[in-house]
Amino acid sequence: MPEGAPWLVALAGQQNAGKSTLFNMLTGLQQHIANYPGVTVDKKSGSYPADGQRYEVVDLPGCYSLAAFSLEERVARAFLLEDRPDVVVNVIDATNLRRSLPLTFQLLEMGFKVVIALNMMDAAERRGLEIDIAHLERRLCVPVIPVVGRKGKGEAELRAAIAKAATTDHVTPATLNYGALEEDVARFQGKLAAEPALQDVSARWLSVKLLESDSEAEALLGTRLPNPHGILDEVYTARKTFEKRHGLSSGDHVSYCRDRHAAAIIEASITDTKAGQVPVSERIDRVLLNRFAAPIFLMATVWAIYQLSIVQGYELTKVTWPFLAGFRNFAAGILPDAGFLTDPQIRSLGLWIVDSINTLLNYVPIFLILFALIAILEDSGYMARIAFILDRILHRFGLHGQSTLPFILAGVFAGGCAVPGVMATKGIPDARARLATILTVPFMNCMAKIPLYTLLINIYFPETKGLMLFYLSTITVVVAMLVAKLLTSSVLRNEETAPFVMELPSYHLPTIPGVLRRSFDRTWLYIKKVGTVVVAIAVVIYVLLQFPGVPAARQVAYHAEAEAAIAQFYEALEGNPHRLAVEDPARLIDLINVQSAYRAARLNAGGKEAVQAMDADLAEAHPDFVPFVLRGRDADAKAANQALRTLTNQRTTLRREMRSDRIEASFLGHIGRGLEPVTQFADFDWKINIALLASFAARESAVSTLGVLFDQDDGENRSLEDRMGAQQSSEGRTAVSAVALMLFFALYPPCLATVIMVRVQTASTGWMMFSIIFPTLLGLTVASAVYSGATALGLTGLQTMSTVWFAALGLLLVVALPKPWLPDLLAGRSREPAQ
Amino acid sequence: MMNRAFFQAMGLGRGRCRGDGKGRRKGYRCHEACCKGRDDTNLNDIAPGEACTICRLHGRGSVRQRLLDLGFQPGREVKMVRNAPLHDPIELQLGDSFIVLRRREAAHIEVTHA
Ligand SMILES: Nc1nc2c(ncn2[C@@H]2O[C@H](COP(=O)(O)OP(=O)(O)O)[C@@H](O)[C@H]2O)c(=O)[nH]1
Ligand SMILES: [Mg+2]
C-alpha cells in the first residue's frame, strides 16, 4: 500500500445490526450516498482521518450470508470480491449472535482481516446476556470490540482495532471444520490454490461455495479458467456422492456446520441470566399484536400520523408562508420593473420560477414532521409490525406487507407526496411487489390533488362536501389495489418474487438525533431531487404557455384600450395638484409599480405597527406618490387615489384578458384544443386539457391555470368558484362532468417529480414511460365511461359518484375474496419462477 | 376453533384443503412438485403457543436459503407465537429471535411435535 492511499474499510453485517449507526459514528458528516452501479441499492461511503492516514468506509447492504440469492447479498459479495477491502468490520447484534456468526465464518473464509464490532451491548445487558469477549476472540481469532453504536461507546477502541488490523500482516484465522465434507473441501481447496488465475480469491472459500452449489462461484470459475469443466465435473460428482451417502445435500450440510459451530461457540461464551423470561418486546406485542387490539392500534397510529403531520403541519405552513411570500416580493423587487400591459420576459419567467419553488417549499414543514414520525415508526420497530398485520391484505393484491410505508407517505387518506412514497419502496425485498407498489403509489391523494377537488366540490357539491371527499380519498386506495392486482397478474407476472420472511426487531426507543437526522436527510433529498426538476419543467411549461404570444391584431386592440384608460386617468386628474407627480408617463409606470409592491407587502405585513412603518417608508421614498397610494383626507388626494384605483383595475382586467388570449394562442393551448376530439367523451374542453397538461409539471398548477383561464371580463373580485361555475354551466357542464374530471385527476399520471423518482427507483426508462401512459389511458377510459354512462342514464353528480364508488368497492371484494366458482385452474400458475 | 371456521369461510384463513378425508388436522399445503404428496406435519399445523422441532426443509432456491440463514436448521426447536390478525402470516420464535413468515413458506418446514 503506497503511503497516503486510504485504507478501505467495509462494514458488513445483517439488516438492523447497526451498520449505518456505526458508519455515522465513524465518519461523522463526511459521507456520500450513491447507488451501486446498475442496481438501486444505496452505496454509502465516507471517510475519516486517523494518525495521518485516511480510512475510507463503505456501508454494505445488510446480508445474512454471502449466498447469491438476494440482490443485497449479491451486491455486498461483489463489492468484497472486486474491491478487496483492507479491513472488514463485521457488525454484529450482540443479542443475536447465533444467527450472525455464520456470516463471520464466511468473511474469515474469504481471507479478510476481520474486526468484529459487537454492537447493541446495552440491549444485550438488558436482556441479561453475559458475553465472554475474551473467549469469543480466542475462538474466532479476531478482535471483538464491544460497542454501543447509539451512544458512541467503544468508538475509540473500534478505531484502534481497525487501524491495527489494517497495518498488521495477515494472520491465518481459525477455520471451520466441515466434518464429513471436510475431505472434499480440502481436496478442492488444494486444486484451486494451484490455479494461477485464482490467486486473488480465497481457495477455501471458493471450494466451499462450489460444494454449496453456488451459481456465481461456478460462473467465476467459468470466466477465470480456460477449461473449468474438469473441476466442475469433479465438484458435481462430489456433491452427488455426498448427498447419496448422507441423505443431505452438501449445501445444507455446510449451512448446518456453520450453525452448529456458532451454537457451540455461543454455548461456551454466553451466559443467559434471564433464560426463560419473556422478553419485553414480546410482552408489548401480546397487547399490540393481539388479534382484536392490533387493527385498532394500527388505525390510531395512522390517524395520529395524519393529524400531526398533515393537519398540524398545515397549520405550520401558515407560519412559514409569509417568509416565502416575502421571498417572492424580494424577487419581484430586484427583477426588472413591470410595464403597463406587458412585462419584461425576464421578470415573468423569474416570478414564475419563484412561484414554482414556493409551492414546493411550502410543503417542507409537513414533510419534516411526516418524515420524523416515520423515522420514529421505523426505529421503534413498529413499522415491521405494521407489515406483519397488513401483509395478508396487501398480498392478496400482489403487494407486500412492506408496501404500507410507501402508501402512507404518499397519502393514503389525503395529503402526502408520491415522491417520498416511491423513494420508500427501496426496502421491499420482493421485486414484483416493489414494482407494483411503485406504480400504484402515485394514485394516492397527494397534497397537490386536494385543491382541485376542493374547487370542484365547492362549485358542484356544496351540500355534500364531506361525502364527496370521503368518496374521492377512499376510491383511490381501492383503485390502487385493483391496479396492483391487475399489473401483478399481467405485465409484472414474470418479475422475480420473494417470500415474506422478516425478523421482528425488538422495540427500541428512538433517539432524537437519529430521528431528526433521518427527517432532515429525507426532506433535503426531496428538495434536491424535486427542486431541480421542478425548476427545469417550470421553464418548459412557461415557454409552452407564453409563446407564440398574443396575436398581433388583438395586441393592437389591447394597446388602444390601454391608452384610452391612461388618457381617462389624466382626464380625471385635470386640475388636481397631485397630477404634477405623474406628468411624465414613465413616472406613471413607476407609480403603478410602487403601488403594487406596496399592496403585496401589505398583504404580508403582520400588525398595525408594521403597516405604519411601511407607510413611513413610502412617504420617505416617494413623497409625491403618497396621495395616490394611501387613502388621503382632502378632496384632491381622494380623487387621485380614486383615479389610480380605476386605472389599476382596468389594467388588471386587460392583463388578465391578454393572458387568457396568450394561453389560448400558446403551444399548450394548441395541444389542448388538439386533444378535444379525444377528451370530449369525458367532457373535457381545451381549458381543462391545458390545466391537466400543466399539472403534469406540478399538480398545484392545475388550479392556478384554471384560475387564469376562467377569468371574467368585469374584473370584479369574484372567486374562482363563482367564475368557473357560471362559465361552465353556461357551456352546459354539469356535476357529472365534474365527477369525470375529478376521477381523471385521481387516476392521472404522477407528476414529473414522481416520474423522475420512478425512473431512479426502477432504473428503467420503460417503467417510467409506463407510469405515465398507463394511468393516462386508465383515467381517460374511466372518465369517459363514467361521463357517457351517467349522461345516458340521466344520473346526478352525487348518484354518479356513489355508483362508481360502490362499483369499485364491489370489484375489490370480488377480486379479494376467494372464488370457489373458479376452478383450481390457476393453482399452478403464479408460483415464483424456478430458481 | 370458531375463529378458524369463520376465517376459512371468509377465504381469509388457511389455503384450500384438498379434502383428502384423512380426518387429520391439516393446514396450508404446498402444491409444488417438491412437496406433492407429502403428508407430514408442517409448521402450519402448529397452534399458537405450541413448540415443535424442525425435521426438514422442503422447497428450494432463495426461500429455502433465507430460511436456513435465519436459523431454520433441522434439529432446532421453534415456537409458534401467534397468527397475524388475519391469520396469515405467522410469528415464530427461534432461539432469541422472532421471525414472521407467510403460511405458504411455513408449509415448507416439516416438523415434529416436541
Ligand atoms: N439499543 C441499541 N440500539 C442500537 C444500537 N445501535 C443501533 N441501534 C438501533 O438499531 C436500529 C438499526 O440500526 P441501523 O444502523 O439502521 O442498522 P443497519 O440496518 O445495520 O444499518 C436503529 O433503530 C438504531 O437506532 C445500540 O448500540 N444499541
Ligand atoms: Mg443501514
Side-chain angles (χ1 to χ4, degrees), chain B:
Chain B
M1 267 299 121
M2 191 226 90
N3 268 333
R4 183 166 294 149
F6 171 73
F7 279 106
Q8 210 150 6
M10 292 268 300
L12 291 169
R14 304 157 159 237
R16 255 158 290 147
C17 288
R18 280 186 297 177
D20 48 13
K22 295 225 176 85
R24 257 177 73 191
R25 204 180 72 193
K26 274 292 152 204
Y28 187 101
R29 294 261 71 115
C30 174
H31 295 280
E32 276 165 49
C34 59
C35 305
K36 269 253 155 67
R38 214 147 57 73
D39 191 38
D40 36 45
T41 317
N42 68 43
L43 259 182
N44 277 329
D45 305 321
I46 310 299
E50 284 179 9
C52 54
T53 308
I54 298 173
C55 318
R56 261 149 73 84
L57 254 68
H58 297 268
R60 63 201 134 73
S62 56
V63 190
R64 188 160 189 285
Q65 184 64 42
R66 175 50 49 89
L67 291 175
L68 285 172
D69 288 342
L70 281 168
F72 287 90
Q73 299 275 353
R76 286 195 73 177
E77 186 170 298
V78 198
K79 187 177 158 208
M80 159 77 173
V81 181
R82 63 169 61 82
N83 290 312
L86 292 175
H87 198 71
D88 189 7
I90 56 176
E91 181 183 343
L92 302 164
Q93 181 176 12
L94 190 74
D96 268 346
S97 48
F98 291 83
I99 292 165
V100 164
L101 9 131
R102 288 196 188 126
R103 289 190 168 271
R104 185 204 234 249
E105 271 80 53
H108 289 299
I109 303 173
E110 184 185 325
V111 296
T112 50
H113 277 277

Side-chain angles (χ1 to χ4, degrees), chain A residues 188 191-192 195 197-198 206 210 214-237 239:
Chain A
F188 289 113
K191 279 189 202 265
L192 294 167
E195 289 288 348
L198 291 170
L206 193 54
L210 286 173
D214 182 284
S215 54
E216 294 213 348
E218 290 172 14
L220 179 77
L221 225 55
T223 51
R224 293 287 183 86
L225 298 185
N227 182 9
H229 302 294
I231 290 198
L232 283 180
D233 281 346
E234 270 184 70
V235 170
Y236 292 144
T237 321
R239 277 189 221 150

Side-chain angles (χ1 to χ4, degrees), chain A residues 248-442:
Chain A
L248 180 75
S249 78
S250 45
D252 280 7
H253 178 75
V254 167
S255 162
Y256 178 75
C257 287
R258 290 190 190 125
D259 184 60
R260 285 309 317 157
H261 191 49
I265 292 181
I266 282 159
E267 186 113 358
S269 59
I270 295 191
T271 325
D272 189 348
T273 58
K274 290 191 185 167
Q277 280 189 23
V278 180
V280 182
S281 285
E282 170 54 19
R283 262 181 274 159
I284 299 175
D285 276 342
R286 281 184 189 165
V287 180
L288 294 192
L289 291 184
N290 172 285
R291 164 166 282 175
F292 303 102
I296 298 172
F297 194 77
L298 178 63
M299 298 283 269
T301 308
V302 173
W303 184 81
I305 293 179
Y306 174 76
Q307 273 296 322
L308 287 173
S309 63
I310 310 296
V311 178
Q312 299 305 318
Y314 198 74
E315 289 298 310
L316 204 56
T317 59
K318 288 183 188 156
V319 179
T320 51
W321 178 250
F323 294 100
L324 298 177
F327 171 53
R328 188 193 194 276
N329 290 344
F330 172 73
I334 57 168
L335 285 165
D337 281 340
F340 187 80
L341 265 191
T342 48
D343 295 345
Q345 209 61 258
I346 180 100
R347 178 185 178 84
S348 319
L349 178 60
L351 287 180
W352 177 271
I353 293 178
V354 169
D355 284 341
S356 315
I357 295 177
N358 273 358
T359 23
L360 182 86
L361 292 181
N362 192 27
Y363 294 131
V364 163
I366 297 183
F367 280 142
L368 282 174
I369 301 180
L370 186 64
F371 289 151
L373 293 174
I374 304 270
I376 291 176
L377 278 194
E378 284 176 296
D379 278 2
S380 66
Y382 189 62
M383 196 58 94
R385 269 95 183 159
I386 296 183
F388 174 60
I389 296 171
L390 290 180
D391 180 69
R392 183 68 198 259
I393 299 176
L394 292 167
H395 187 50
R396 280 262 159 185
F397 300 98
L399 299 169
H400 192 272
Q402 276 155 283
S403 307
T404 322
L405 171 63
F407 281 122
I408 293 179
L409 282 171
V412 175
F413 301 113
C417 178
V419 175
V422 173
M423 251 152 64
T425 55
K426 211 161 213 156
I428 302 174
D430 175 328
R432 183 201 289 170
R434 180 161 177 265
L435 265 175
T437 312
I438 291 178
L439 294 174
T440 47
V441 149

